[in-house]
Amino acid sequence: VYRILSKATLTPVTTEYVIEAPEIARKAQAGQFVIVRVTEHGERIPLTIADNDIEAGTITIVTQEIGATTQRMKQLSPGDSLASFTGPLGRPSEMENYGNVVLVGGGLGIAAIHPICRSLRAAGNHVIAIIGARTGELLFWEERMRAVTDELIVVTDDGSYGRKALTTIPLKELCEEREIARVWGVGPAIMMKFVALTTKPYGVKTIVSLNSV
């Protein structure tokens, strides 16, 4: 039984769930995902593991209410159970001591880069994260991200919070100013495309997350 232990509204369109799943929590590695079904005959949707707590036996996932399944999930309450919760799936992110690394999270991608930042930092890297959203009210987990990074840069498209810039602007500055060993980008496809185009002239190996169904 995959019970919802807690549920929190992070932004008007983003919800955080902590799910009781001890087996998955024990095996989960940064960069992996789960497949969730809300009801017995519901669709199967992939969701990135945003956090795992081995001692508590929990997995944290963050959803954006854009489809029928995430809308249906939004109606559930703590104590309710999911029909299925399968994982951990996918190849974990490679973790070594590379040096200076930059992780770019756009929108929902902020949740996805959180465990990668934590693992890279544990491996001895200097971890810089750039998190961004269209507007300040769509940003979340700022303090949580500060806890797993050495430097955190916050940007918004409209300048309503943090620096008024696209995530690629501080990324370009970092590539010009420092020796960046590796970059990870998770967010909307267009953002990841421009992250890759930004790092290309500097020859920095860049990993993005393409997990469309």
Side-chain angles (χ1 to χ4, degrees):
V1 178
Y2 299 105
R3 211 155 45 96
I4 297 170
L5 298 180
S6 70
K7 173 185 173 185
T9 300
L10 301 179
T11 80
V13 293
T14 318
T15 310
E16 171 195 307
Y17 302 87
V18 176
I19 313 290
E20 186 177 37
E23 290 290 308
I24 302 172
R26 202 166 61 242
K27 296 175 188 165
Q29 293 180 63
Q32 291 188 300
F33 65 97
V34 288
I35 296 269
V36 177
R37 264 186 326 151
V38 178
T39 58
E40 204 57 52
H41 301 289
E43 67 171 342
R44 303 165 77 246
I45 59 163
L47 294 169
T48 303
I49 294 170
D51 205 353
N52 68 305
D53 186 324
I54 296 169
E55 283 180 27
T58 59
I59 291 285
T60 301
I61 51 174
V62 176
T63 65
Q64 214 161 33
E65 285 78 51
I66 44 175
T69 300
T70 46
Q71 297 279 8
R72 173 81 189 83
M73 198 163 163
K74 177 82 173 173
Q75 292 161 16
L76 298 177
S77 304
D80 290 340
S81 296
L82 299 166
S84 69
F85 195 74
T86 311
L89 302 167
R91 271 177 52 190
S93 301
E94 292 169 28
M95 293 297 154
E96 289 174 29
N97 190 342
Y98 304 104
N100 290 325
V101 294
V102 180
L103 293 98
V104 185
L108 198 62
I110 297 167
I113 66 167
H114 173 266
I116 304 173
C117 286
R118 185 173 58 192
S119 295
L120 283 166
R121 203 168 179 217
N125 294 280
H126 183 83
V127 177
I128 307 157
I130 303 164
I131 60 171
R134 288 196 313 277
T135 178
E137 71 166 4
L138 296 176
L139 275 168
F140 61 93
W141 279 19
E142 183 184 347
E143 289 314 306
R144 214 159 163 159
M145 289 301 299
R146 283 197 196 282
V148 294
T149 56
D150 296 291
E151 296 176 58
L152 183 68
I153 299 162
V154 182
V155 299
T156 50
D157 295 4
D158 65 358
S160 58
Y161 189 81
R163 179 178 170 186
K164 185 183 191 307
L166 297 173
T167 53
T168 48
I169 303 296
L171 175 62
K172 186 175 193 292
E173 291 166 356
L174 286 165
C175 288
E176 283 174 354
E177 294 162 10
R178 309 193 206 178
E179 194 68 47
I180 303 298
R182 208 164 268 217
V183 170
W184 277 258
V186 186
I190 190 76
M191 183 209 89
M192 295 190 291
K193 175 187 175 180
F194 282 102
V195 163
L197 289 171
T198 300
T199 58
K200 197 174 181 183
Y202 305 96
V204 180
K205 184 170 180 179
T206 302
I207 298 139
V208 297
S209 174
L210 297 170
N211 62 349
S212 50
V213 176

PDB file of all heavy atoms in Angstrom, residues 47-69:
ATOM      1  N   LEU A  47       7.203  10.143 -12.749  1.00  0.00           N
ATOM      2  CA  LEU A  47       7.505  11.299 -11.903  1.00  0.00           C
ATOM      3  C   LEU A  47       8.899  11.133 -11.304  1.00  0.00           C
ATOM      4  O   LEU A  47       9.223  10.063 -10.774  1.00  0.00           O
ATOM      5  CB  LEU A  47       6.468  11.432 -10.780  1.00  0.00           C
ATOM      6  CG  LEU A  47       5.024  11.761 -11.210  1.00  0.00           C
ATOM      7  CD1 LEU A  47       4.077  11.582 -10.040  1.00  0.00           C
ATOM      8  CD2 LEU A  47       4.928  13.173 -11.761  1.00  0.00           C
ATOM      9  N   THR A  48       9.696  12.178 -11.396  1.00  0.00           N
ATOM     10  CA  THR A  48      11.057  12.119 -10.855  1.00  0.00           C
ATOM     11  C   THR A  48      11.020  12.028  -9.329  1.00  0.00           C
ATOM     12  O   THR A  48      10.192  12.660  -8.685  1.00  0.00           O
ATOM     13  CB  THR A  48      11.844  13.375 -11.279  1.00  0.00           C
ATOM     14  OG1 THR A  48      11.837  13.456 -12.698  1.00  0.00           O
ATOM     15  CG2 THR A  48      13.287  13.314 -10.800  1.00  0.00           C
ATOM     16  N   ILE A  49      11.936  11.222  -8.785  1.00  0.00           N
ATOM     17  CA  ILE A  49      12.069  11.142  -7.321  1.00  0.00           C
ATOM     18  C   ILE A  49      12.775  12.424  -6.875  1.00  0.00           C
ATOM     19  O   ILE A  49      13.934  12.666  -7.220  1.00  0.00           O
ATOM     20  CB  ILE A  49      12.865   9.885  -6.910  1.00  0.00           C
ATOM     21  CG1 ILE A  49      12.070   8.620  -7.286  1.00  0.00           C
ATOM     22  CG2 ILE A  49      13.178   9.912  -5.416  1.00  0.00           C
ATOM     23  CD1 ILE A  49      12.850   7.322  -7.151  1.00  0.00           C
ATOM     24  N   ALA A  50      12.055  13.253  -6.126  1.00  0.00           N
ATOM     25  CA  ALA A  50      12.608  14.548  -5.706  1.00  0.00           C
ATOM     26  C   ALA A  50      13.393  14.434  -4.408  1.00  0.00           C
ATOM     27  O   ALA A  50      14.263  15.252  -4.114  1.00  0.00           O
ATOM     28  CB  ALA A  50      11.484  15.566  -5.554  1.00  0.00           C
ATOM     29  N   ASP A  51      13.069  13.402  -3.606  1.00  0.00           N
ATOM     30  CA  ASP A  51      13.779  13.176  -2.350  1.00  0.00           C
ATOM     31  C   ASP A  51      13.438  11.780  -1.855  1.00  0.00           C
ATOM     32  O   ASP A  51      12.383  11.224  -2.205  1.00  0.00           O
ATOM     33  CB  ASP A  51      13.359  14.215  -1.298  1.00  0.00           C
ATOM     34  CG  ASP A  51      14.435  14.447  -0.236  1.00  0.00           C
ATOM     35  OD1 ASP A  51      15.449  13.707  -0.233  1.00  0.00           O
ATOM     36  OD2 ASP A  51      14.269  15.366   0.586  1.00  0.00           O
ATOM     37  N   ASN A  52      14.324  11.204  -1.080  1.00  0.00           N
ATOM     38  CA  ASN A  52      14.034   9.920  -0.429  1.00  0.00           C
ATOM     39  C   ASN A  52      14.643   9.909   0.967  1.00  0.00           C
ATOM     40  O   ASN A  52      15.711  10.475   1.185  1.00  0.00           O
ATOM     41  CB  ASN A  52      14.555   8.738  -1.268  1.00  0.00           C
ATOM     42  CG  ASN A  52      16.065   8.675  -1.342  1.00  0.00           C
ATOM     43  OD1 ASN A  52      16.710   9.638  -1.734  1.00  0.00           O
ATOM     44  ND2 ASN A  52      16.650   7.535  -0.993  1.00  0.00           N
ATOM     45  N   ASP A  53      13.929   9.322   1.887  1.00  0.00           N
ATOM     46  CA  ASP A  53      14.379   9.222   3.272  1.00  0.00           C
ATOM     47  C   ASP A  53      14.372   7.748   3.644  1.00  0.00           C
ATOM     48  O   ASP A  53      13.316   7.139   3.810  1.00  0.00           O
ATOM     49  CB  ASP A  53      13.441  10.023   4.177  1.00  0.00           C
ATOM     50  CG  ASP A  53      13.927  10.089   5.630  1.00  0.00           C
ATOM     51  OD1 ASP A  53      14.495   9.084   6.118  1.00  0.00           O
ATOM     52  OD2 ASP A  53      13.706  11.125   6.278  1.00  0.00           O
ATOM     53  N   ILE A  54      15.570   7.167   3.728  1.00  0.00           N
ATOM     54  CA  ILE A  54      15.693   5.729   3.978  1.00  0.00           C
ATOM     55  C   ILE A  54      15.142   5.364   5.350  1.00  0.00           C
ATOM     56  O   ILE A  54      14.405   4.387   5.498  1.00  0.00           O
ATOM     57  CB  ILE A  54      17.169   5.277   3.828  1.00  0.00           C
ATOM     58  CG1 ILE A  54      17.638   5.481   2.371  1.00  0.00           C
ATOM     59  CG2 ILE A  54      17.326   3.798   4.215  1.00  0.00           C
ATOM     60  CD1 ILE A  54      19.125   5.321   2.162  1.00  0.00           C
ATOM     61  N   GLU A  55      15.467   6.174   6.367  1.00  0.00           N
ATOM     62  CA  GLU A  55      15.009   5.873   7.734  1.00  0.00           C
ATOM     63  C   GLU A  55      13.494   5.941   7.861  1.00  0.00           C
ATOM     64  O   GLU A  55      12.861   5.091   8.481  1.00  0.00           O
ATOM     65  CB  GLU A  55      15.669   6.824   8.733  1.00  0.00           C
ATOM     66  CG  GLU A  55      17.118   6.438   9.032  1.00  0.00           C
ATOM     67  CD  GLU A  55      17.763   7.381  10.032  1.00  0.00           C
ATOM     68  OE1 GLU A  55      17.037   7.963  10.853  1.00  0.00           O
ATOM     69  OE2 GLU A  55      18.993   7.518   9.984  1.00  0.00           O
ATOM     70  N   ALA A  56      12.909   6.956   7.258  1.00  0.00           N
ATOM     71  CA  ALA A  56      11.449   7.114   7.343  1.00  0.00           C
ATOM     72  C   ALA A  56      10.723   6.213   6.349  1.00  0.00           C
ATOM     73  O   ALA A  56       9.523   5.988   6.472  1.00  0.00           O
ATOM     74  CB  ALA A  56      11.073   8.569   7.102  1.00  0.00           C
ATOM     75  N   GLY A  57      11.476   5.714   5.346  1.00  0.00           N
ATOM     76  CA  GLY A  57      10.874   4.855   4.325  1.00  0.00           C
ATOM     77  C   GLY A  57       9.956   5.609   3.394  1.00  0.00           C
ATOM     78  O   GLY A  57       8.917   5.112   2.968  1.00  0.00           O
ATOM     79  N   THR A  58      10.351   6.853   3.065  1.00  0.00           N
ATOM     80  CA  THR A  58       9.475   7.689   2.242  1.00  0.00           C
ATOM     81  C   THR A  58      10.141   8.188   0.957  1.00  0.00           C
ATOM     82  O   THR A  58      11.363   8.319   0.878  1.00  0.00           O
ATOM     83  CB  THR A  58       8.997   8.930   3.035  1.00  0.00           C
ATOM     84  OG1 THR A  58      10.144   9.692   3.451  1.00  0.00           O
ATOM     85  CG2 THR A  58       8.181   8.531   4.246  1.00  0.00           C
ATOM     86  N   ILE A  59       9.292   8.473  -0.017  1.00  0.00           N
ATOM     87  CA  ILE A  59       9.697   9.080  -1.283  1.00  0.00           C
ATOM     88  C   ILE A  59       8.911  10.374  -1.433  1.00  0.00           C
ATOM     89  O   ILE A  59       7.706  10.407  -1.202  1.00  0.00           O
ATOM     90  CB  ILE A  59       9.358   8.145  -2.478  1.00  0.00           C
ATOM     91  CG1 ILE A  59      10.237   6.884  -2.468  1.00  0.00           C
ATOM     92  CG2 ILE A  59       9.484   8.878  -3.822  1.00  0.00           C
ATOM     93  CD1 ILE A  59      11.673   7.085  -2.901  1.00  0.00           C
ATOM     94  N   THR A  60       9.601  11.451  -1.833  1.00  0.00           N
ATOM     95  CA  THR A  60       8.928  12.723  -2.105  1.00  0.00           C
ATOM     96  C   THR A  60       8.837  12.922  -3.610  1.00  0.00           C
ATOM     97  O   THR A  60       9.835  12.753  -4.323  1.00  0.00           O
ATOM     98  CB  THR A  60       9.699  13.899  -1.467  1.00  0.00           C
ATOM     99  OG1 THR A  60       9.786  13.684  -0.057  1.00  0.00           O
ATOM    100  CG2 THR A  60       9.006  15.230  -1.721  1.00  0.00           C
ATOM    101  N   ILE A  61       7.626  13.253  -4.079  1.00  0.00           N
ATOM    102  CA  ILE A  61       7.427  13.578  -5.491  1.00  0.00           C
ATOM    103  C   ILE A  61       6.741  14.941  -5.580  1.00  0.00           C
ATOM    104  O   ILE A  61       6.036  15.341  -4.662  1.00  0.00           O
ATOM    105  CB  ILE A  61       6.607  12.502  -6.240  1.00  0.00           C
ATOM    106  CG1 ILE A  61       5.305  12.189  -5.491  1.00  0.00           C
ATOM    107  CG2 ILE A  61       7.416  11.248  -6.504  1.00  0.00           C
ATOM    108  CD1 ILE A  61       4.373  11.250  -6.227  1.00  0.00           C
ATOM    109  N   VAL A  62       6.989  15.636  -6.673  1.00  0.00           N
ATOM    110  CA  VAL A  62       6.374  16.935  -6.891  1.00  0.00           C
ATOM    111  C   VAL A  62       5.674  16.895  -8.247  1.00  0.00           C
ATOM    112  O   VAL A  62       6.265  16.470  -9.239  1.00  0.00           O
ATOM    113  CB  VAL A  62       7.427  18.070  -6.855  1.00  0.00           C
ATOM    114  CG1 VAL A  62       6.796  19.420  -7.175  1.00  0.00           C
ATOM    115  CG2 VAL A  62       8.105  18.130  -5.486  1.00  0.00           C
ATOM    116  N   THR A  63       4.407  17.305  -8.281  1.00  0.00           N
ATOM    117  CA  THR A  63       3.658  17.274  -9.537  1.00  0.00           C
ATOM    118  C   THR A  63       3.189  18.673  -9.922  1.00  0.00           C
ATOM    119  O   THR A  63       3.062  19.552  -9.076  1.00  0.00           O
ATOM    120  CB  THR A  63       2.400  16.385  -9.427  1.00  0.00           C
ATOM    121  OG1 THR A  63       1.493  16.978  -8.482  1.00  0.00           O
ATOM    122  CG2 THR A  63       2.734  14.974  -8.980  1.00  0.00           C
ATOM    123  N   GLN A  64       2.966  18.823 -11.222  1.00  0.00           N
ATOM    124  CA  GLN A  64       2.359  20.048 -11.738  1.00  0.00           C
ATOM    125  C   GLN A  64       1.000  19.635 -12.289  1.00  0.00           C
ATOM    126  O   GLN A  64       0.905  18.655 -13.044  1.00  0.00           O
ATOM    127  CB  GLN A  64       3.231  20.619 -12.851  1.00  0.00           C
ATOM    128  CG  GLN A  64       3.220  22.119 -12.901  1.00  0.00           C
ATOM    129  CD  GLN A  64       4.402  22.659 -13.683  1.00  0.00           C
ATOM    130  OE1 GLN A  64       4.860  22.055 -14.632  1.00  0.00           O
ATOM    131  NE2 GLN A  64       4.906  23.815 -13.288  1.00  0.00           N
ATOM    132  N   GLU A  65      -0.036  20.339 -11.899  1.00  0.00           N
ATOM    133  CA  GLU A  65      -1.394  19.937 -12.308  1.00  0.00           C
ATOM    134  C   GLU A  65      -1.683  20.364 -13.736  1.00  0.00           C
ATOM    135  O   GLU A  65      -2.276  21.403 -14.001  1.00  0.00           O
ATOM    136  CB  GLU A  65      -2.445  20.530 -11.352  1.00  0.00           C
ATOM    137  CG  GLU A  65      -2.500  19.818 -10.008  1.00  0.00           C
ATOM    138  CD  GLU A  65      -1.393  20.203  -9.054  1.00  0.00           C
ATOM    139  OE1 GLU A  65      -1.183  21.400  -8.841  1.00  0.00           O
ATOM    140  OE2 GLU A  65      -0.709  19.298  -8.516  1.00  0.00           O
ATOM    141  N   ILE A  66      -1.240  19.514 -14.691  1.00  0.00           N
ATOM    142  CA  ILE A  66      -1.461  19.857 -16.099  1.00  0.00           C
ATOM    143  C   ILE A  66      -2.311  18.814 -16.828  1.00  0.00           C
ATOM    144  O   ILE A  66      -2.938  19.128 -17.818  1.00  0.00           O
ATOM    145  CB  ILE A  66      -0.131  20.076 -16.865  1.00  0.00           C
ATOM    146  CG1 ILE A  66       0.899  18.990 -16.507  1.00  0.00           C
ATOM    147  CG2 ILE A  66       0.426  21.457 -16.607  1.00  0.00           C
ATOM    148  CD1 ILE A  66       2.176  19.059 -17.286  1.00  0.00           C
ATOM    149  N   GLY A  67      -2.340  17.576 -16.336  1.00  0.00           N
ATOM    150  CA  GLY A  67      -3.119  16.524 -17.007  1.00  0.00           C
ATOM    151  C   GLY A  67      -4.181  15.952 -16.080  1.00  0.00           C
ATOM    152  O   GLY A  67      -4.264  16.306 -14.896  1.00  0.00           O
ATOM    153  N   ALA A  68      -4.977  15.049 -16.615  1.00  0.00           N
ATOM    154  CA  ALA A  68      -6.079  14.451 -15.844  1.00  0.00           C
ATOM    155  C   ALA A  68      -5.576  13.715 -14.606  1.00  0.00           C
ATOM    156  O   ALA A  68      -6.182  13.802 -13.527  1.00  0.00           O
ATOM    157  CB  ALA A  68      -6.866  13.499 -16.737  1.00  0.00           C
ATOM    158  N   THR A  69      -4.454  12.983 -14.747  1.00  0.00           N
ATOM    159  CA  THR A  69      -3.951  12.180 -13.626  1.00  0.00           C
ATOM    160  C   THR A  69      -3.453  13.052 -12.478  1.00  0.00           C
ATOM    161  O   THR A  69      -3.755  12.790 -11.311  1.00  0.00           O
ATOM    162  CB  THR A  69      -2.845  11.225 -14.106  1.00  0.00           C
ATOM    163  OG1 THR A  69      -3.408  10.365 -15.100  1.00  0.00           O
ATOM    164  CG2 THR A  69      -2.309  10.372 -12.976  1.00  0.00           C
TER     165      THR A  69
END
